[in-house]
Amino acid sequence: MKITGQTASAVFDSIRQQILSGALEPGQLLPPVRDLALQLQINRNTVAAAYKRLDAAGLAQTQGRRGTVVTAPPVVGAQEGSAAGSALHDLSSGNPDPQWLPDLRGLLPARAPRLYGAPTIDAPLERLARAQLDPDCPPGYALELSHGAVDAIERVLGSWLVPGDRVAVENPCFLGSLNTLRAGGHATLAVAIDEHGMVPAALAAALEAGARAVLLTPRAHNPTGASLSQRRARELRQVLERHPQVLVLVDDHFAALSQQPYHSVIAPRTRRWVLVRSLSKALGPDLRLAVLGCDADTAARLRLRMAPGTGWVSHLLQDAAAAALGSARVMARVAKAGRDYAQRCQVLQQALGEQGIHTPAVMDGLNLWVPLAADSQPLVLAMAQRGWQLRGGEVFAVQPGVHGLRITTAMLTAGDARRVALDLRQALEDQGALGVLGRT
């Protein structure tokens, strides 16, 4: 390799060009800082600064005494959704039941076209959104919009963090959040969770390890279905109170459908915070809209990324959302859908329990989580042979050690629940694993 340069920027550009051209390949070790400094006759701090930029840009990774290696190009991680053309009964998609989603086209009001310079948030939607956020946000909060929860996470992290910054996240973690963090070049710090959500001691350890942001789910955690209890939320607030500089990002994606109360983790001293409430699960994934309550500084930064005239959320989407949220008939249907989802999950829980397969006591959301003690792939294959497509838990892992099955229950009938439970028991027995199920 031929590295040149007399400044950190020049050394960075020289190595970057060779990585992009293929002259330096993934896994290849870069020269030690001291050796390259002697070769170029520059200060070691100059080389170290160049390597730090490469690490932050995701082009190389510093691995302590092992040195700095060229990283592989990013790959697309596992995605939510159904596999097209599969002959299996799909219980892996994470999708809501289409029968509960309103026809938003029929709700659209007749409105004059909105042009450049119009307010980015329509008054009817703002009024309805604030009615939902007011009880759960600190006084004086700002209201913003995004194209769904994952878009909100990307924009908020991009507003405050740079590539390489550490983010504390639940382990296991929602696929959309994981992919967003990886795409942004952020380092993830795994925080263990149990049936009540993030474990306070694990969060404290992540913050002490340098996390600049925390991303957590207050209820209907995907994939485990965990929701914060009042006590757990208070304990997490106490941890965050000691780190007021940390960005707190609360992804309350299932708010409109959840059967569990919302308990806030936003501490009084927290300076930067966002509460995200998506409408995707209740009104349809294609709506692509979430409402955000946040502090004033974060709102100002988000407005720069969603500048008027170039990046507002479509007023047609806002019209549809406002019409749905303002309709007593639609919201009654949403409430009924939430109860139906909870009941379907409970039916499968009961069926599994009758087969000796015990799951966490309270789960909320569209999925049920079966913790395992070992790799889920043999079970996923065994269930596929029986006609069921399930989601293996390892794809949700922030760090190795997460094992489980995620079963989407949103469209599961009572009869199918009994058959799934029986087939899963037989598959576990065949593998000698029925008595060694894991814990959340």
Side-chain angles (χ1 to χ4, degrees):
M1 68 184 76
K2 177 64 174 177
I3 300 175
T4 62
Q6 295 295 297
T7 66
S9 293
V11 174
F12 168 82
D13 287 337
S14 174
I15 298 174
R16 177 173 180 264
Q17 181 57 38
Q18 293 188 62
I19 293 173
L20 295 178
S21 68
L24 287 173
E25 299 180 348
Q28 192 167 345
L29 191 66
L30 296 179
V33 170
R34 178 178 295 183
D35 292 355
L36 185 56
L38 288 172
Q39 175 188 325
L40 299 177
Q41 297 184 339
I42 58 177
N43 191 290
R44 282 183 294 175
N45 291 338
T46 302
V47 176
Y51 280 11
K52 186 175 182 180
R53 282 191 63 188
L54 290 166
D55 193 304
L59 297 171
Q61 185 177 27
T62 300
Q63 301 179 338
R65 293 182 178 181
R66 295 180 58 194
T68 301
V69 298
V70 177
T71 56
V75 296
V76 177
Q79 305 286 317
E80 292 284 10
S82 303
S86 175
L88 302 178
H89 190 146
D90 188 2
L91 302 179
S92 68
S93 72
N95 275 318
D97 187 345
Q99 75 162 341
W100 290 119
L101 303 179
D103 182 0
L104 297 176
R105 295 169 299 179
L107 295 172
L108 281 172
R111 294 286 299 273
R114 270 61 57 91
L115 305 176
Y116 294 118
T120 55
I121 304 179
D122 289 338
L125 180 58
E126 179 172 3
R127 183 178 65 257
L128 291 162
R130 286 194 180 277
Q132 292 193 9
L133 291 170
D134 281 351
D136 301 320
C137 289
Y141 72 92
L143 175 69
E144 296 296 328
L145 303 178
S146 70
H147 298 100
V150 174
D151 179 64
I153 292 168
E154 187 280 329
R155 291 181 186 277
V156 172
L157 293 177
S159 296
W160 286 111
L161 273 58
V162 297
D165 280 345
R166 297 176 176 181
V167 181
V169 296
E170 297 140 332
N171 186 36
C173 183
F174 173 53
L175 293 178
S177 300
L178 270 181
N179 290 331
T180 298
L181 291 165
R182 290 165 179 162
H186 303 300
T188 53
L189 293 178
V191 179
I193 66 171
D194 59 20
E195 64 270 25
H196 301 298
M198 270 190 172
V199 176
L203 174 59
L207 295 174
E208 291 297 333
R212 294 183 177 274
V214 177
L215 172 58
L216 61 80
T217 314
R219 46 189 173 177
H221 171 260
N222 189 345
T224 69
S227 297
L228 296 178
S229 65
Q230 187 174 28
R231 177 179 177 179
R232 179 58 56 82
R234 181 175 65 251
E235 293 169 342
L236 293 174
R237 277 199 310 274
Q238 291 170 348
V239 172
L240 292 169
E241 182 76 16
R242 300 194 294 269
H243 300 269
Q245 77 286 356
V246 170
L247 169 66
V248 179
L249 226 171
V250 182
D251 180 11
D252 195 17
H253 69 286
F254 206 64
L257 295 161
S258 180
Q259 302 303 291
Q260 300 300 316
Y262 174 78
H263 299 297
S264 178
V265 301
I266 301 169
R269 295 180 63 223
T270 296
R271 295 198 292 264
R272 295 187 289 272
W273 60 271
V274 182
L275 171 58
V276 182
R277 286 186 169 157
S278 170
L279 303 180
S280 297
K281 299 297 190 297
L283 302 183
D286 199 40
L287 183 60
R288 315 308 306 145
L289 195 148
V291 297
L292 288 64
C294 56
D295 66 275
D297 288 342
T298 297
R301 294 193 175 216
L302 286 173
R303 289 184 199 118
L304 289 175
R305 299 174 68 87
M306 297 281 285
T310 57
W312 66 83
V313 171
S314 166
H315 292 286
L316 293 176
L317 298 182
Q318 294 187 48
D319 287 344
L325 294 175
S327 167
R329 176 181 59 82
V330 171
M331 296 314 293
R333 188 173 179 82
V334 168
K336 189 174 181 180
R339 295 190 295 271
D340 180 69
Y341 290 140
Q343 183 179 18
R344 290 175 190 267
C345 183
Q346 291 164 7
V347 166
L348 180 56
Q349 265 190 303
Q350 182 177 351
L352 290 171
E354 291 170 353
Q355 298 298 329
I357 303 170
H358 299 290
T359 54
V362 177
M363 282 186 277
D364 195 19
L366 304 179
N367 309 288
L368 179 142
W369 177 254
V370 180
L372 301 174
D375 184 11
S376 67
Q377 196 57 29
L379 271 180
V380 171
L381 293 175
M383 292 298 285
Q385 292 171 351
R386 291 167 167 82
W388 306 104
Q389 182 172 333
L390 308 182
R391 178 80 75 166
E394 288 74 16
V395 297
F396 302 96
V398 179
Q399 65 182 26
V402 172
H403 304 296
L405 293 174
R406 194 196 71 175
I407 306 174
T408 299
T409 58
M411 292 174 271
L412 192 65
T413 66
D416 283 343
R418 290 190 292 270
R419 287 189 287 273
V420 169
L422 180 60
D423 285 344
L424 184 56
R425 180 182 66 80
Q426 292 174 342
L428 285 164
E429 284 182 342
D430 290 346
Q431 297 176 24
L434 182 58
V436 290
L437 296 177
R439 298 179 63 187
T440 300

